[in-house]
Amino acid sequence: MSNPPLSLYIHIPWCVQKCPYCDFNSHAQKGVIPEKEYVAHLLDDLVTDAKSIGNREVTTIFIGGGTPSLFEPDSIAHLLNGVAERVALADDAEITMEANPGTIEAARFDGFVQAGVNRFSVGVQSFQPAHLKVLGRIHDDKQARFALGQAKQSGARSMNIDLMHGLPEQSLDNALQDLNDAIDQQPEHLSWYQLTIEPNTPFYSRPPELPDDDILWDIQNAGHARLQAAGYEQYEISGYSKPGYQCRHNLNYWRFGDYLGIGCGAHGKITDADSGTITRTVKVKHPRGYMTLGREYLDSAQVVESDDVAFEFFMNRFRLVEPCPKADFEAFTGTTLTYSQQTELNKAVEQGLLLESERHWQVTAQGRRYLNSLLGAFV
């Protein structure tokens, strides 16, 4: 069994304030963020994790949050320099950092690029003031456009805009106007995803009125057509890009690659090449606990049981538009398909959810629409 490609996820947990829809591990900023201390812990965390990867090369880095753009460029430079000193980093590594328009000053994007960042993911979510207010965003539409302009001028290889649809009381025209505004900014990549109500969020306890299923379907169809007409290719359920600008980090997730996860609540997945064992890790979630000297950063580590591997593999691979090589199943899971699993795949082909050739599987448009049903067969 060969090792899959390896990525690194770095979590920075602080935000100016918590958005009512957000179920990520993020914490409202209270006072001065201990940037220097936190970076030191991140690098110590990486040293521990690096023992499990030997001399494997890290091909992508994603700095997420929270709001990483709250950190000073010097802190990000120290972090990325420290990473390069502790693991083998590919010369052409994609290094993405999330940014919030409400936390960006004019010179910051330039500073982040000088620190080593070469891709930005800007959390706009909407260009309409009423929707931004409902979503609890700290920026307005003018700040969003300013931040996107700064990101474009920074010299980074590419920029992603995070944009939501299916917002409270959103119409088809509203959603398409947001999409048109995003396309006008000419990003290389667009993450265009539907708002969902998650447990343990203010929206869950006080649900807003969301568009009905018919409107949501119209938004998805019309938006997909608009993106295609503008030259964006869908490569993942919510991922669209200009040719050659797919997010390599996300592709590694969906292709069932490996990734280290450092920082508060960060998740990781590592495959042992000798045994084929896949281990998923979660780090201590709260910043205070994570930065306690002498405490382990690891909160839990769980070996993925062989019975669950097929579901996890297909759950990731079937998000992608590209064909899934059958050879990857055995190469990345260390197992072979059981009779019952092959039977379920055959049923999916008969139902029009899946296409199958001698060497590939590929989810159809119908399969992507009913992905939960498709994956349910492997639970």
Side-chain angles (χ1 to χ4, degrees), residues 12 33 35-36 39 67-79 97 103 105 108 111-112 115:
I12 293 179
I33 296 175
E35 295 184 27
K36 186 175 181 180
V39 169
T67 306
S69 52
L70 287 172
F71 273 37
E72 294 292 335
D74 284 350
S75 296
I76 299 299
H78 182 58
L79 170 63
M97 191 178 84
T103 63
E105 300 168 1
R108 280 209 163 189
F112 292 136

Side-chain angles (χ1 to χ4, degrees), residues 14-283:
W14 291 279
C15 287
V16 174
Q17 65 183 30
K18 186 90 170 179
C19 297
Y21 59 84
C22 179
D23 69 335
F24 294 160
N25 183 38
S26 58
H27 302 265
Q29 177 183 356
K30 297 178 181 178
V32 178
I33 296 175
E35 295 184 27
K36 186 175 181 180
E37 180 184 1
Y38 188 68
V39 169
H41 282 284
L42 286 172
L43 295 176
D44 285 347
D45 190 0
L46 179 59
V47 168
T48 302
D49 274 10
K51 296 173 184 176
S52 67
I53 63 171
N55 60 357
R56 293 175 64 184
E57 186 177 69
V58 171
T59 60
T60 70
I61 297 174
F62 195 103
I63 307 172
T67 306
S69 52
L70 287 172
F71 273 37
E72 294 292 335
D74 284 350
S75 296
I76 299 299
H78 182 58
L79 170 63
L80 292 177
N81 288 336
V83 168
E85 291 170 357
R86 289 161 175 81
V87 297
L89 187 61
D91 292 338
D92 65 343
E94 175 192 86
I95 302 177
T96 304
M97 191 178 84
E98 291 183 334
N100 185 327
T103 63
I104 290 294
E105 300 168 1
R108 280 209 163 189
F109 277 115
D110 292 342
F112 292 136
V113 169
Q114 291 172 11
V117 174
N118 54 38
R119 183 177 183 274
F120 290 108
S121 182
V122 186
V124 173
Q125 314 310 354
S126 176
F127 288 91
Q128 299 177 37
H131 286 141
L132 288 169
K133 183 176 181 181
V134 169
L135 292 173
R137 305 299 289 173
I138 64 170
H139 66 272
D140 59 25
D141 57 316
K142 295 182 181 63
Q143 288 173 309
R145 289 183 173 85
F146 172 79
L148 293 170
Q150 294 297 311
K152 289 290 286 185
Q153 296 172 25
S154 67
R157 292 181 196 167
S158 67
M159 176 182 74
N160 168 63
I161 294 178
D162 265 351
L163 194 71
M164 286 185 174
H165 61 86
L167 305 180
E169 301 183 14
Q170 188 177 48
S171 66
L172 172 60
D173 287 343
N174 285 157
L176 292 180
Q177 183 58 57
D178 258 348
L179 201 50
N180 287 333
D181 287 344
I183 291 170
D184 285 346
Q185 300 299 315
Q186 300 182 345
E188 289 80 11
H189 189 285
L190 262 163
S191 295
W192 188 59
Y193 54 97
Q194 183 180 321
L195 171 65
T196 56
I197 305 301
E198 303 292 347
N200 303 316
T201 64
F203 271 6
Y204 186 80
S205 57
R206 297 182 298 278
E209 185 176 347
L210 300 181
D212 64 33
D213 288 343
D214 288 339
I215 294 176
L216 291 174
W217 183 241
D218 288 343
I219 288 173
Q220 292 227 4
N221 280 340
H224 177 76
R226 177 70 187 89
L227 284 159
Q228 283 191 314
Y232 291 90
E233 299 174 346
Q234 184 182 26
Y235 69 96
E236 185 262 332
I237 287 178
S238 59
Y240 291 80
S241 75
K242 296 286 189 179
Y245 285 99
Q246 296 95 333
C247 177
R248 288 165 48 198
H249 187 87
N250 285 347
L251 274 176
N252 192 42
Y253 285 159
W254 308 138
R255 288 171 176 165
F256 210 53
D258 279 353
Y259 49 95
L260 299 175
I262 61 172
C264 298
H267 290 239
K269 169 189 171 282
I270 293 295
T271 305
D272 184 275
D274 295 327
S275 66
T277 299
I278 297 172
T279 303
R280 291 196 176 277
T281 60
V282 182
K283 299 300 172 61

Side-chain angles (χ1 to χ4, degrees), residues 279-291:
T279 303
R280 291 196 176 277
T281 60
V282 182
K283 299 300 172 61
V284 174
K285 291 185 177 180
H286 199 280
R288 191 178 301 115
Y290 183 83
M291 292 190 290

